[in-house]
Structures are given as structure tokens and as C-alpha cells.
Amino acid sequence: MIRKYTISIFTENFFGLLNRITIIFTRRRINIESLTVSESEVKGVHRYTLVIKSEEEKVKKLVKQIEKLVDVLKAFYYINEETVFQEIALYKVSTHALKEGRNFERLIRDHHARMLTVESEFVVIEKTGHKEETQELLRQLQPFGVLEFARSGRVAVSKPMKKLSSYLREMEEEQLVTA
């Protein structure tokens, strides 16, 4: 059964690693729907968060292949129910929308969005939520004149409580045993 998965990859921050990771997806003909890279809670360790649609068996093999990369410390995969996730969207809308007054403001409020800036020619609106929520606001803003739209990749944390530092400690102990 094809489902949506969030893959978290923890690495040291080395040049060219993103390319090596994405090649693994390309070879397996798996499309990356979302990609976000940031620092993690462990100093010197970065987190890649990717969203894909695939079958679990393929995802398991994919994660094992990713973990074989030298600079990858650990990789995990989760279904949506095992993560807490959000995306951020920015909408640049013509200031003519402000002439709609209450309708425009109500739309922004009803979607729990906020205006970041109001310029003479445009307004920038921010919405945090799931992709479906940000898409719905985009759809409803279209009649007001959307000039630009951008959405971030998924930012996610896992619900399971084992910390990355625990996995890293286990890996170090395992290396000491095999050395």
C-alpha cells in the first residue's frame, strides 16, 4: 500500500551529501515531495527531512541504503501519525484586497494566518499548517489577486521518545565492541 512517509536523516554537514542522498531516490524512481535541511538538537549534526509516497518495503530498503553513506549517522522513517509536522506558506497579495475590508480580514483570521507586512502595492500573509491547509488558503486568496506564493518543506519531529543522542551513543559503543 502506498502511503506518505517522513524520512529523517541525521548527518554531519559535508559538501555534496545532499546530492548523494537524492541520487538514491532517483535510482529507485521515488519522487521527493518535500525537503528541508536544518541543524538538529545535537551540535554538529544536521537533519534532512524528506517526504515521499511509497510502499513500506521500498522505504525500508531506501533508509538502509541511505545509512550506508559514510557521512550519514542515522536515518528513520515515519508515517504521518508518528510525527508532529508543519509547513509555512507565504502569500503576496495585491493591496486591492484590503479594499474588500472585512471579507479579506475574516478570511485571514478564519485560517489562523497573519499579515507580516503591508506595503503600498502588496500585503504578505503567513500561514503555518499542513499542506492541505495552506493550499486551501491559496485557493481562497486567488480572487483577491495572489502575486506570489511560496511554501516551505515539511518540518517534523517524531513522537517516539528515544533521542538522537541515545542512538549516537549506541553506535559509538557498537564501534568500540567491533574494534
Side-chain angles (χ1 to χ4, degrees):
M1 177 173 81
I2 294 179
R3 299 176 79 164
K4 194 173 270 194
Y5 291 91
T6 299
I7 298 175
S8 293
I9 305 167
F10 294 92
T11 72
E12 296 181 51
N13 192 20
F14 288 112
F15 176 81
L17 185 57
L18 177 59
N19 183 48
R20 288 185 285 154
I21 289 171
T22 57
I23 285 172
I24 293 172
F25 288 83
T26 304
R27 285 184 184 147
R28 296 188 185 298
R29 303 186 60 79
I30 297 174
N31 187 47
I32 299 171
E33 293 192 4
S34 169
L35 168 67
T36 307
V37 182
S38 68
E39 295 177 0
S40 75
E41 67 277 14
V42 178
K43 185 178 169 97
V45 176
H46 283 68
R47 171 195 299 256
Y48 290 68
T49 304
L50 299 98
V51 177
I52 63 168
K53 285 183 183 173
S54 190
E55 297 165 351
E56 186 172 17
E57 281 307 309
K58 285 184 181 180
V59 176
K60 281 181 186 179
K61 289 177 184 175
L62 180 74
V63 168
K64 284 181 182 178
Q65 185 70 38
I66 290 168
E67 285 188 327
K68 289 180 183 177
L69 293 174
V70 173
D71 301 323
V72 171
L73 303 172
K74 189 71 181 159
F76 304 94
Y77 72 92
Y78 306 99
I79 57 173
N80 283 348
E81 294 77 21
E82 296 174 319
T83 63
V84 176
F85 63 92
Q86 293 286 286
E87 295 180 4
I88 185 171
L90 297 178
Y91 311 80
K92 184 175 171 182
V93 181
S94 170
T95 50
H96 296 296
L98 295 175
K99 293 176 185 170
E100 294 292 323
R102 296 187 191 276
N103 292 340
F104 183 72
E105 289 178 32
R106 176 167 294 255
L107 177 63
I108 303 305
R109 245 182 284 122
D110 288 349
H111 282 274
H112 304 287
R114 65 186 185 121
M115 285 191 241
L116 293 180
T117 187
V118 178
E119 302 290 332
S120 60
E121 296 179 10
F122 62 87
V123 178
V124 176
I125 300 160
E126 172 194 38
K127 165 75 177 137
T128 303
H130 294 172
K131 182 178 180 180
E132 298 76 20
E133 296 167 338
T134 60
Q135 279 299 119
E136 179 58 23
L137 180 56
L138 175 62
R139 187 186 69 74
Q140 291 185 24
L141 284 172
Q142 291 295 355
F144 295 103
V146 176
L147 304 171
E148 287 185 51
F149 170 71
R151 182 177 42 244
S152 71
R154 179 178 287 192
V155 177
V157 292
S158 64
K159 289 181 181 177
M161 283 302 297
K162 191 167 186 181
K163 293 182 180 179
L164 175 61
S165 55
S166 300
Y167 285 107
L168 295 176
R169 228 178 289 112
E170 288 172 11
M171 287 172 54
E172 285 178 4
E173 290 169 4
E174 201 175 282
Q175 288 175 348
L176 290 174
V177 170
T178 57

